[in-house]
Amino acid sequence: PRVEWGWTAPASARPTARNKRTIGVAERDFFVKAEMPKGEAIKQALAKTYRFYEALDAWADDCVKEWKYYNRRYGWSLKASWRKKPLYWVVMYRGCFHMGFSIAENERDEFLALDLEEATRRAITDSKEFPEGFPVEFAVRDEKSFEEAFRLVKKQRELLG
């Protein structure tokens, strides 16, 4: 599940039966395979949230980071690994970015024991299980959303050892 703190899409962009599949495409950046996201392009796309992306990137300086292109629908995503284990992923949108990771089944209780926003707690408890764990994704649009997501990614790294 994706956590959105206090953001409501304009009526024209809200999912309907007709546009539900294209809503994410309209907001996402970096769909062209030949144009891997780099410096100034990322800064322009993220605008005011670029400083949060920079802070995350600096914190994960000792991680292995790899840009991956999936297809025209999903575009480019950044994957960061810590000691050969997936730590988090980042997807760029216009004016914000989403970061997420998968929580192992035996670590869920450790995350839920943290002092979390109710929306974050729901995202963790409602997440559907996949072979890699329970994926959670956070929309980083402001300082509050970044701090919550960043705290969880730090916990994830701590648990990875």
Side-chain angles (χ1 to χ4, degrees):
R2 187 172 292 150
V3 178
E4 303 276 352
W5 284 281
W7 181 78
T8 304
S12 61
R14 289 194 189 117
T16 64
R18 194 165 176 214
N19 73 359
K20 189 175 185 180
R21 301 185 101 202
T22 59
I23 178 115
V25 174
E27 290 183 22
R28 288 192 57 177
D29 269 331
F30 306 114
F31 283 101
V32 180
K33 187 174 186 176
E35 298 173 9
M36 186 174 87
K38 292 184 182 166
E40 193 59 35
I42 294 172
K43 191 173 188 176
Q44 287 179 350
L46 296 181
K48 66 180 181 175
T49 60
Y50 179 71
R51 65 188 174 112
F52 305 124
Y53 172 76
E54 259 187 330
L56 177 66
D57 192 50
W59 173 79
D61 195 41
D62 56 348
C63 293
V64 175
K65 296 177 201 143
E66 177 185 13
W67 283 101
K68 290 187 154 229
Y69 183 81
Y70 289 94
N71 56 40
R72 286 179 39 204
R73 181 175 177 198
Y74 295 106
W76 288 93
S77 295
L78 175 67
K79 295 208 172 223
S81 300
W82 170 250
R83 298 184 179 168
K84 297 185 181 183
K85 296 176 185 173
L87 179 60
Y88 66 85
W89 65 83
V90 173
V91 179
M92 305 289 172
Y93 288 78
R94 284 188 210 116
C96 71
F97 63 94
H98 287 202
M99 60 187 282
F101 58 92
S102 291
I103 300 172
E105 184 176 3
N106 59 343
E107 296 171 343
R108 255 176 122 182
D109 290 336
E110 293 193 46
F111 282 95
L112 293 171
L114 298 171
D115 181 30
L116 302 171
E117 297 281 332
E118 188 55 38
T120 304
R121 188 172 301 285
R122 264 194 324 274
I124 294 170
T125 58
D126 295 349
S127 182
K128 182 180 173 188
E129 187 173 16
F130 287 88
E132 61 275 5
F134 296 88
V136 290
E137 187 172 308
F138 304 92
V140 176
R141 298 181 184 282
D142 55 27
E143 189 143 3
K144 180 182 176 186
S145 60
F146 174 70
E147 286 173 2
E148 182 88 346
F150 187 56
R151 193 161 52 108
L152 292 171
V153 168
K154 287 195 292 189
K155 180 69 173 175
Q156 174 76 344
R157 183 168 165 172
E158 175 190 312
L159 292 171
L160 288 175

